[in-house]
Amino acid sequence: MRSSQRPSSHASVPGSVVAYDIETIAPATPDGAFPPWPLHRPVAIGFAAASIWNGEWRFDIEALVATGDTDEADLIRAADERFSRAQVVTGYNSTQFDALVLRLAAQRCRLWNLPALADHAAAHRYGGEHLDLADRYASFGRKVGLAALCDQIGIPVKTDVAGGDVAALWEAGEHDRIRRYVMEDAVATLVLWFAWAAARHADESLVTRPLAALARRIEATPELHHLHAFVDCPLMRWSRPRALAADVRAALDGVTATLRREADERAFAAA
């Protein structure tokens, strides 16, 4: 496995990240407490992937529900494939719940050849390749819920459904509501990761520019219109004008660099 050392303060920002979230069902416990994680069966998984290419952020957002043509094994294979493509995988309480549930579900489904899932389920707590935001925001202390952080920063989360509703929705066959919910949580986790990265590297452009690009993607994609709360949330309203200013500065810096290079080339040719 990887080094157990804590990450360096000079760690670079990755060019590709995938945030994910799973939804599960589990038998009720006699005392009404949250069932132990081995009893949970994943029924939905959401992915919000972001990558930067030639200075532009691109997004790939989807969610799968185990019903009809999709079964539990399909969810697990999708996680392995998605994890394999990203430099960083991030979730919320993912190291102590989501990844463990997926790894056990893979064994239950007799799926052994899943190297990316294997690595992330066994990733060291202080490593950077599987970044659990619940740990990072709490500095590896007492964790809080995702909604508590999102509410403070101005990120929409659980706008229609909460995790406690999933079992009832599953029994009622409302699978599309589960799909929208798990996708929303994955996007909220991705936005929270951008906020964490910007604070970690003391660079607001690491949240403003990708969020502005995310808003444009949601606005331009009819299949994502149920995520419109992200377009109008407080963090986005703050980010978009600042992202525009950052884009203008970057464009001017590019022009200045080009002119300087051309001047240097002319000077060298004349020498």
Side-chain angles (χ1 to χ4, degrees), residues 160-210:
D160 177 52
V161 174
D165 302 324
V166 169
L169 291 173
W170 178 261
E171 289 297 324
E174 295 195 49
H175 302 136
D176 195 53
R177 287 187 69 189
I178 296 174
R179 184 189 66 82
R180 293 196 303 270
Y181 167 57
V182 74
M183 186 185 293
E184 180 186 85
D185 263 12
V187 174
T189 302
L190 178 65
V191 173
L192 189 66
W193 182 84
F194 282 126
W196 180 87
R200 178 69 182 82
H201 296 276
D203 182 353
E204 74 169 41
S205 71
L206 297 179
V207 66
T208 58
R209 298 181 79 181

Side-chain angles (χ1 to χ4, degrees), residues 235-249:
L235 181 59
M236 187 69 79
R237 291 198 299 271
W238 176 86
S239 292
R240 293 187 84 168
R242 300 177 82 89
L244 179 59
D247 289 342
V248 170
R249 286 194 299 271

Side-chain angles (χ1 to χ4, degrees), residues 110-130:
R110 307 296 185 254
L111 297 174
W112 311 102
N113 301 324
L114 303 174
L117 176 59
D119 282 349
H120 286 285
H124 193 277
R125 189 180 189 190
Y126 300 116
E129 67 280 354
H130 191 107

Side-chain angles (χ1 to χ4, degrees), residues 98-121:
D98 301 65
L100 303 184
V101 170
L102 289 174
R103 179 171 61 184
L104 185 60
Q107 295 172 34
R108 185 169 58 246
C109 293
R110 307 296 185 254
L111 297 174
W112 311 102
N113 301 324
L114 303 174
L117 176 59
D119 282 349
H120 286 285

